Amino acid sequence: MAMRQLLRRARTCSLSTLNAGDGIPYGSLANIATDVAGRPIILISRLAWHTKNLAADARGSVLVGEIPETGDALVGPRVTVLGRFERVEDVNLRRRYLARHQQAAMYADFADFSFWRLEPASIHGVAGFGRIETLAPRAVFPAVSEMEALETSAIEHMNEDHGDSVQLYATRLLGGAPGDWRILAIDPDGADLGAGGKGLRLSFEEPVTSADGLRRTFAELSKKARETGL
């Protein structure tokens, strides 16, 4: 699903909340990550306006897009997820967020910071002029219970038993410099790799929703990476 994959690739978003008191929409910039299903996760300080707004009214949205380097910015794809934010305390969501934003580990545990997840009500995507679609959450964020259950063990298995393949993913498939690359997060659409504070996104060609499918996908990527170096 192109909308979900766009969210997976994004590192920042335009966060819209309703201003406490007058209800006027307030836009701000935030870092973004996703849970296994693809729903947006943000890490925000209670000192910020947007956090105070969400505490008063949980309704909000995030907008992510990919702007062309030249020409009309409006021809680039973008997606807006609308819904209600909820504060979450989950070690796996924390790990997934820090996989995308490793520098945030410096302040993620500060007392005034907390993680929030957007529970979608609708998703509005624009792929360019005249290419517009509004979808229900189930069409963009399918049930991924098996992937949620196996993510942690799959990460450990790949890093401990297939570390050589992880290095090849980073260097040969993604163009990263040699380093101690490790898989930090896995979801149906790909995996986040990290080394020395740097991060790379390894995208899958097709969504994966089972342990068998994940094994086959990583094996195929390993084969492709080895052949790339020939």
Side-chain angles (χ1 to χ4, degrees):
M1 173 59 64
M3 292 185 190
R4 189 178 66 247
Q5 292 165 350
L6 187 57
L7 288 164
R8 300 285 196 200
R9 294 192 297 269
R11 293 183 55 79
T12 61
C13 69
S14 174
L15 170 63
S16 295
T17 57
L18 297 175
N19 210 32
D22 56 26
I24 296 174
Y26 170 69
S28 56
L29 180 68
N31 288 333
I32 186 175
T34 59
D35 67 6
V36 175
R39 294 170 294 186
I41 306 166
I42 57 175
L43 173 64
I44 50 179
S45 167
R46 68 167 178 262
L47 303 178
W49 274 19
H50 45 231
T51 312
K52 295 175 181 178
N53 292 344
L54 291 176
D57 189 330
R59 290 178 296 173
S61 67
V62 298
L63 163 67
V64 302
E66 295 180 344
I67 301 174
E69 294 184 3
T70 60
D72 192 339
L74 296 181
V75 303
R78 60 267 194 198
V79 60
T80 302
V81 183
L82 305 90
R84 289 180 176 272
F85 281 90
E86 63 173 7
R87 183 173 175 175
V88 291
E89 294 184 9
D90 185 303
V91 294
N92 288 323
L93 294 184
R94 180 186 186 280
R95 172 181 49 74
R96 288 189 60 83
Y97 183 92
L98 294 181
R100 295 291 291 163
H101 305 284
Q102 297 174 55
Q103 76 288 347
M106 294 186 296
Y107 55 83
D109 295 322
F110 286 3
D112 61 301
F113 276 86
S114 55
F115 291 95
W116 294 69
R117 177 168 56 192
L118 179 54
E119 291 295 336
S122 62
I123 301 90
H124 184 73
V126 180
F129 288 117
R131 300 168 61 192
I132 303 171
E133 192 172 21
T134 301
L135 299 175
R138 64 179 178 275
V140 180
F141 309 113
V144 289
S145 57
E146 185 172 351
M147 287 294 290
E148 289 175 332
L150 65 83
E151 184 194 12
T152 301
S153 60
I155 291 171
E156 294 174 353
H157 172 68
M158 289 301 298
N159 288 331
E160 294 175 7
D161 299 336
H162 301 284
D164 56 336
S165 292
V166 176
Q167 307 309 312
L168 294 178
Y169 300 155
T171 57
R172 295 188 181 180
L173 297 183
L174 302 175
D180 184 23
W181 291 98
R182 298 178 64 81
I183 290 180
L184 304 178
I186 298 173
D187 53 66
D189 302 304
D192 290 305
L193 282 61
K198 297 181 179 180
L200 295 171
R201 176 68 180 175
L202 177 67
S203 297
F204 299 155
E205 291 187 3
E206 298 291 338
V208 177
T209 58
S210 67
D212 287 342
L214 189 61
R215 280 192 290 268
R216 288 195 299 271
T217 297
F218 277 134
E220 290 168 359
L221 287 169
S222 295
K223 182 175 183 293
K224 180 179 179 181
R226 288 185 169 82
E227 291 175 345
T228 299
L230 297 178

